[in-house]
Structures are given as structure tokens and as C-alpha cells.
Amino acid sequence: MAQLGTTRLPILIAGGGPAGLISALTLYANGVPFRIIDRRETFHEGIRGTALQPRTLELLQSLGLLEDVKAISTPPYKMTVHAAGHEIASEVSWADEANASPSIPHPGPITVHQSVFEGVLRDHLKKSGVQVELGIELVELRQGDEQVAAKLKTRDGESEESYAYVIAADGAKGSIRSLLGISFLGESKESDLMFTANIKSTDIDRTHWHRWGVFGEKIFFLKPVVPAPMFHVQAMGANLPDPLPQSTEEIQAMFNDISQSEDIHLTDATCISVWRANIRMADKFRAGRVFLVGDSAHCHSPAGGQGSNTGMLDAVNISWKLSAVFKGLALPTLLDTYEAERMPVVAEMLNLTQQLHHLAFSRMPSSTLEGRQTAERSNDPMWRPKHILQLGVNYRWSPIVLEGREIEATGPEKSPYGIDGAKLRAGDRAPDATSLLDVHTGSETTLHSLVSGANIHTILIFAGLASIDFDGVQSRYSNVARVLALFPSSVGHQGAVLDRNVRGVLDSASTAYTAYEVDERECTYLVIRPDGFIGAFCTQPEQIQSYFSEFIRLP
């Protein structure tokens, strides 16, 4: 249990998957005590979700995790579509990437073995003196005005303990949602199933994602993951063997049938399982002092690689807000915005993945085996368009987002995954910027590096040519925010003069002023939230106070 020097009741995290671990790491970054438990006796070794999207990579970078995650990842290799055995029919890209830009540090996804990824997250927790406690299940909850009484069950019996809040990350099959009486709305499609396994092979290259067969009938994938020679097996289709394989030999036989060859040998199958379509969303993500994140709140088709990524964004959203309330910096009403912000995003995610699921499990014509150009790929089950990258996910409608400029409304009122080419607004992801030079040291850095940590707001002042009381802004909001002054390239080092207690950078290549669509002659104020979203876009310093006064206890 992480106590972090406080005598207050800690926060309980129930579930040690990606959403629970990111919750724990974010709470730790904010200095908030917590305990993280998992009902499993051992950690899962299955590969499961493999794609980490660019928006998730930005989150991992903010928490100081990215380099270790990259070390156990592979790039988004092209897909080799095979005829028989090693014979190649075509080679196609399966995911669109973001346009190259200084504002986007990660244009495409990376691939990871989920259990290895979770191990990296756990290692970072261990370095902080925290471990996931296995074999502990939350079986009963009683809520009061100031705390939650949780009954915990282990092999040795049951005990009741009190916590300030509970983050439910116990998955789609977890019990907490039922304990709270929360409905899980959606549908199950027992006939839509996917066979998965971990398997080893040295008979095929590790620089492609390999595919054999026909969608809707029977299809088999081998995706390379770390460590070699491991591959992730996925097989689906109405004509898969019944019963499904339960051993390496049976998987080999199924593969030989679908690949029409015996040239590629598979060995050492583990974590053999069957996923059945269960696409659902909780009717609410909060009940009193308990918050649902990840698969506890929504389960989905694996098509599109959105589930774990969405769960981790759930986790950072509620965790920075819980931290602010826990430390007495924010009003409890801030916690109401978790549902308001995340539920529309999750609903849109489920809609997107359902569309991809339908394509993947429907009978497709044989021409699916042929590589097609982007314009023709709307019906390709494996094609992942740009919006899947989650860089457009936004909270423009949130009650705690302030847009201080006069902007003509265009497009739908809510577009949770964003619209390509739309003007940057409050509620959007905060773009990165490169070639920023520290005005005190001259060292080069990036904007995302300067606003990282997931533990404090950043007041970003595009100073332009104006004279600004930077110290006054810093002292006014010092308990909840840091101030970063951004000077245009036209000012130069001589004009970028600051007191030492305010960080300032020179936008030497105008990447920040361009990304944020700010006129170099004008002064503009932005507030970037701990989760990397723009909380406020302001033209006057008074609007900064208006933003914070909605949820922060200002002195």
C-alpha cells in the first residue's frame, strides 16, 4: 500500500490490468495514497490487446514510462496476405498514420504483448515501493458520506476496511458493477468468436503481420510480439473446427488446413482461449464514491485496438480529478465531470469497434485478399483509419472546459473522436511542439516534456509582444498550476526576459505558435490539464480565474 506520508484513508484500486495500473501510477505521481489489489492468484500471461495508440503513447510519456514500453514493443508491421504457406499474395498496410508534424510525436501505434506491458507498469510501481496484491477480491461495499467500507476476501477469510474512494478496474467479468447495481447495456453474440493463443515459430519472418484464409469463412493470423520467437494467434470464421483446438498439435492442424500448407511449424502453445462477442457499456460510470474504469465500464470487440487504450484514458481522467479532490485543492463536484467527459467518448468507441467487428465477422468476398488503395478500403476488415489513433478524442462539451474566444460553431455539437481539419479548441488534446529553447539555459526541449507528469495544470502563456506580469500569474495559481511562458521566434533571446521562478522557452521554429494557431503579435493564455487536454483557451487573464473557479479552491 502506498501511504506517501499521509494519515488519511487511501484510495482502493480493484484490478491490476492496464486501467488499474495507470490509475495507480497517476495517483502516485500526485502523491495520493492508494492500495491496488487483484482477485487473480497469478498475473495473466496471455497476449490479448496488442496495439498502443499514439494518444496512449503520449500518456505513457507523461508518466515517464514510454522508453521502457518501447523496449518491449514492435512497430506496426505491414500485413502479409498469404495464398498457401509462405507464398505471398499481397502486402498491405493495416493502419493509417497521422500526418508528419511537430505537434504529433507518435504518428502511429506500436505493438506489445499485453502481459509484458503490464509487467513494465508493475515494475515502475515496484520502484516506488508499491506492489499489486494478488488473491484479494472485493465482495461487498457500503458507502458513507466520507468513506467506503469494503469487504475483502482472501484465502484466509474476509475483512472489512475503509477507503476514501474506490476505482473499479476489475474487468468485464468483475463483481463491483453488480455490487453497485449498475446495468451493463449491450449485446452478446455467442456465434461471433475468436480463437487466440500464444505460440512460437521460427519458420516465418518477424517483420510482418501474417494472414491466411478468407474472412467470414476461416482466417488465421500470426502477429510477432516480444519476446521472440513468440507470435499472437488469432483465428475466426464460421468454418473453424468444432470443437476448437486445445493443444499445440490441434492448432497446427487448424493452421495447416487454413494455410493450405505444412511448411510452417508451430510450437509451445500457451494461453489458449476463446473470445466471444460481448459488446456492452455501463449505464453509469460512477456510484457515490466508486468509479468504473476500463472493461468494468465497457467491453468491446477487439477490432480496432481501442479497448485498453480507452481504459487507460478513463484511468488518467478520474485519477487526476480524485487526486485534486483528495488533496483539498478541488471541489467534490469535479468528480461529476468524469462521466460527463468519458461516457460520450466510450459510446463513440463502441460504435466504431462494432462497425469494424461487423466487417471482421461477416463473409467477405475473395477480393479481400487483394491489397486495395486507401480510397477503396472502407469495407476492408483490417483497415484502421486515422481516427482510431485517438488523437482527435476531445471533451469540448465538458462543463469544466472554457473556450474564451468567439468561434463560429461548425459540425455536430459532440464529436468525441474529433473531425479532421477542425480548428483547435478548448477540450482538445494539447498538441506537442518541438525546437523550444529554454530562455535561461538555451537547452532544447519539447512542449509535451514541459507539461508532463499528470500531476499539475500548466498555464501556457503565449506572450507575443506584450508585457506580462508572469510572476503575478504564477503566485496567483501556484497551488494548482505551473506557468510556462512561450515567446515567438521574432523576439529572440534578448527579448525573452523572465525571473528565475518562471520557466520560459523561445519558440525558435514557430512550432508551438503554429500548432496552437496563435498570432505571434498577440497574447494568448491556455490552461493544459494534468491529462494533456486543453482546459481553457483564453484571451484575457481573468478568464483563467473563471476556468479554475468552476472546480478549484482558490485562495
Side-chain angles (χ1 to χ4, degrees):
M1 182 185 298
Q3 292 291 353
L4 304 180
T6 179
T7 57
R8 293 193 58 192
L9 291 173
I11 293 172
L12 178 65
I13 303 169
L21 291 166
I22 291 296
S23 297
L25 288 159
T26 305
L27 292 177
Y28 185 85
N30 282 271
V32 172
F34 64 91
R35 182 185 187 188
I36 179 167
I37 63 173
D38 197 295
R39 68 180 183 275
R40 298 173 295 180
E41 295 290 342
T42 60
F43 294 117
H44 196 283
E45 295 183 356
I47 294 173
R48 295 182 292 175
T50 58
L52 294 181
Q53 303 295 349
R55 185 66 188 91
T56 305
L57 300 182
E58 293 177 356
L59 167 60
L60 296 174
Q61 183 174 6
S62 180
L63 289 169
L65 307 167
L66 184 59
E67 291 309 309
D68 287 344
V69 172
K70 279 187 172 181
I72 53 96
S73 73
T74 60
Y77 294 129
K78 285 189 175 182
M79 180 171 289
T80 296
V81 182
H82 294 268
H86 286 99
E87 183 183 349
I88 297 173
S90 64
E91 183 180 280
V92 297
S93 296
W94 57 272
D96 204 356
E97 291 194 347
N99 297 330
S101 167
S103 66
I104 301 174
H106 313 289
I110 63 174
T111 296
V112 296
H113 182 315
Q114 183 170 314
S115 65
V116 177
F117 169 62
E118 290 175 2
V120 170
L121 302 188
R122 289 195 301 270
D123 286 345
H124 276 261
L125 277 179
K126 287 179 184 177
K127 292 174 185 176
S128 306
V130 182
Q131 293 196 43
V132 179
E133 301 176 56
L134 294 172
I136 304 176
E137 183 178 9
L138 196 162
V139 294
E140 187 177 318
L141 285 166
R142 289 186 295 104
Q143 298 201 55
D145 293 337
E146 301 294 331
Q147 63 187 42
V148 181
K151 182 176 287 187
L152 305 179
K153 181 180 179 181
T154 69
R155 284 184 174 183
D156 299 325
E158 296 181 349
S159 62
E160 186 171 285
E161 300 176 5
S162 294
Y163 295 91
Y165 297 95
V166 173
I167 297 176
D170 58 339
K173 296 180 180 179
S175 61
I176 298 177
R177 189 179 54 252
S178 296
L179 293 176
L180 297 170
I182 295 176
S183 299
F184 211 25
L185 308 176
E187 60 178 340
S188 297
K189 299 180 179 180
E190 289 294 320
S191 61
D192 290 357
L193 57 83
M194 179 186 293
F195 174 88
T196 67
N198 302 358
I199 210 152
K200 295 179 181 178
S201 180
T202 57
D203 288 342
I204 196 161
D205 74 75
R206 296 184 54 79
T207 57
H208 293 86
W209 187 2
H210 302 276
R211 168 178 133 201
W212 296 261
V214 179
F215 278 100
E217 295 180 8
K218 49 187 175 182
I219 196 160
F220 194 104
F221 296 88
L222 284 176
K223 189 175 189 178
V225 294
V226 174
M230 184 78 72
F231 285 84
H232 185 211
V233 171
Q234 292 177 309
M236 65 184 85
N239 298 334
L240 291 183
D242 185 12
L244 288 163
Q246 295 298 314
S247 67
T248 301
E249 293 74 20
E250 291 175 348
I251 296 173
Q252 181 76 66
M254 176 173 69
F255 174 64
N256 291 349
D257 173 59
I258 296 174
S259 68
Q260 304 173 53
S261 171
E262 297 182 0
D263 294 342
I264 300 168
H265 300 283
L266 310 177
T267 64
D268 303 316
T270 58
C271 300
I272 298 171
S273 64
V274 178
W275 174 88
R276 286 181 168 80
N278 189 29
I279 302 170
R280 298 179 181 275
M281 175 176 166
D283 63 347
K284 55 184 177 180
F285 288 4
R286 178 189 185 183
R289 302 175 79 84
V290 183
F291 301 85
L292 306 183
V293 298
D295 288 356
S296 298
H298 44 84
C299 61
H300 51 89
S301 170
Q306 298 295 283
S308 292
N309 293 275
T310 301
M312 286 185 274
L313 290 182
D314 292 345
V316 72
N317 186 294
I318 187 55
S319 295
W320 81 258
K321 293 171 180 176
L322 277 173
S323 297
V325 172
F326 185 93
K327 293 190 288 188
L329 299 174
L331 301 169
T333 52
L334 175 62
L335 303 178
D336 297 337
T337 67
Y338 172 59
E339 280 186 333
E341 292 183 348
R342 293 304 297 165
M343 289 190 78
V345 173
V346 170
E348 180 71 2
M349 180 270 291
L350 289 173
N351 181 48
L352 291 171
T353 56
Q354 268 194 307
Q355 293 174 29
L356 292 169
H357 175 92
H358 175 73
L359 291 174
F361 284 88
S362 298
R363 179 182 174 87
M364 298 298 296
S366 59
S367 60
T368 300
L369 295 174
E370 302 172 1
R372 288 178 282 179
Q373 302 302 314
T374 301
E376 300 174 313
R377 300 194 69 172
S378 61
N379 289 321
D380 186 340
M382 295 312 301
W383 180 242
R384 304 295 181 252
K386 285 181 183 177
H387 55 265
I388 293 295
L389 304 175
Q390 297 202 351
L391 294 171
V393 167
N394 66 88
Y395 306 132
R396 291 184 176 188
W397 60 87
S398 172
I400 58 166
V401 162
L402 187 151
E403 177 54 69
R405 303 165 299 169
E406 293 185 6
I407 298 177
E408 183 178 352
T410 58
E413 182 179 354
K414 286 184 182 180
S415 181
Y417 267 59
I419 300 173
D420 287 345
K423 183 177 178 63
L424 187 71
R425 291 181 51 182
D428 290 350
R429 158 193 170 268
D432 198 8
T434 58
S435 303
L436 305 182
L437 304 179
D438 190 291
V439 299
H440 298 306
T441 67
S443 60
E444 185 172 327
T445 186
T446 66
L447 184 57
H448 278 187
S449 297
L450 295 171
V451 303
S452 66
N455 57 2
I456 192 169
H457 282 77
T458 301
I459 299 174
L460 188 59
I461 303 178
F462 287 83
L465 304 178
S467 177
I468 299 169
D469 179 13
F470 296 105
D471 288 343
V473 177
Q474 178 69 77
S475 61
R476 179 76 178 91
Y477 303 103
S478 60
N479 64 324
V480 293
R482 58 194 163 198
V483 171
L484 177 64
L486 253 166
F487 296 95
S489 56
S490 57
V491 170
H493 274 294
Q494 298 303 314
V497 178
L498 286 174
D499 190 87
R500 280 279 173 181
N501 65 349
V502 175
R503 185 79 181 267
V505 292
L506 182 70
D507 188 11
S508 67
S510 299
T511 58
Y513 276 80
T514 299
Y516 286 82
E517 304 170 18
V518 173
D519 190 324
E520 290 191 356
R521 298 166 298 179
E522 300 176 354
C523 177
T524 301
Y525 304 83
L526 281 93
V527 182
I528 299 178
R529 305 185 339 179
D531 58 355
F533 288 86
I534 301 171
F537 221 126
C538 310
T539 58
Q540 302 294 328
E542 293 78 15
Q543 291 173 326
I544 301 173
Q545 180 163 346
S546 296
Y547 166 75
F548 281 120
S549 64
E550 286 294 319
F551 61 92
I552 292 293
R553 300 181 191 275
L554 294 174

